[in-house]
Amino acid sequence: MNIPKKDAPDQRLAAGEETQHFVWSTDKEKQLLFIEIKDNFSDYDLLNFVPRIWEENPEILWYDTVVDYRRLGIRNNWTWGAMKEVGRRWADFSQGCDTRSRVAVLTENYWLTQIVNNALAFVFPGSRFRCFKDLDMAIAWATGADEPD
């Protein structure tokens, strides 16, 4: 994802050199978390590094999220079980707070769109999910607190 430096001052590789399978950044002004999934993203990345984002940055509880999953030919080895475990950990972290967060997923993958639209809301109750092909549209929806879902 090409996020201008001024919009993503905290960009860093998740967990340093331990993994190169996703990068994340925040835009504190817009209260947005950006996650770019890279090739070979796995359950290991999902379970060991994604929770560190919010553990090390608790203000993210109130952020909306844009996940960039657009890379064609992306190879991943994450499972539904690991995603449900991350959802459980998020619920523990959020301690029942209804953040009403929005999660915009950038993808061209039809099947991922179906998963997002039909299943992730059950794993992350209170969050709203929508798929996009365009980054600007994803950001506009994620930051549009007064816009309809």
Side-chain angles (χ1 to χ4, degrees):
M1 180 171 7
N2 290 327
I3 302 167
K5 187 66 174 169
K6 68 179 179 61
D7 291 336
D10 297 329
Q11 188 168 21
R12 60 194 114 165
L13 288 174
E17 60 279 344
E18 292 181 52
T19 184
Q20 301 286 314
H21 301 124
F22 74 101
V23 293
W24 65 276
S25 62
T26 59
D27 181 327
K28 290 182 186 339
E29 184 178 316
K30 292 180 182 176
Q31 292 192 313
L32 276 174
L33 168 65
F34 294 92
I35 299 174
E36 180 182 4
I37 305 297
K38 297 191 174 282
D39 281 343
N40 299 313
F41 185 79
S42 68
D43 282 355
Y44 186 81
D45 296 303
L46 194 57
L47 295 171
N48 291 296
F49 304 120
V50 170
R52 287 187 192 177
I53 297 171
W54 67 74
E55 289 166 358
E56 295 173 4
N57 303 276
E59 71 277 7
I60 285 177
L61 177 65
W62 305 108
Y63 282 28
D64 295 299
T65 304
V66 175
V67 178
D68 189 345
Y69 208 89
R70 292 177 295 180
R71 294 168 54 113
L72 297 176
I74 198 164
R75 294 177 309 273
N76 291 295
N77 294 311
W78 62 271
T79 63
W80 184 244
M83 181 63 73
K84 287 185 352 186
E85 175 61 17
V86 169
R88 186 194 64 72
R89 292 181 190 180
W90 174 256
D92 288 348
F93 171 75
S94 64
Q95 299 178 356
C97 291
D98 183 10
T99 64
R100 307 250 329 129
S101 64
R102 294 180 182 211
V103 181
V105 179
L106 289 159
T107 184
E108 308 252 341
N109 181 318
Y110 171 79
W111 295 112
L112 185 61
T113 301
Q114 296 305 303
I115 290 171
V116 167
N117 290 341
N118 296 309
L120 286 180
F122 293 108
V123 176
F124 299 94
S127 294
R128 291 155 296 164
F129 295 84
R130 186 173 289 173
C131 290
F132 296 88
K133 292 182 179 181
D134 178 79
L135 176 62
D136 292 332
M137 290 178 68
I139 291 171
W141 178 78
T143 59
D146 296 331
E147 296 177 12
D149 290 329

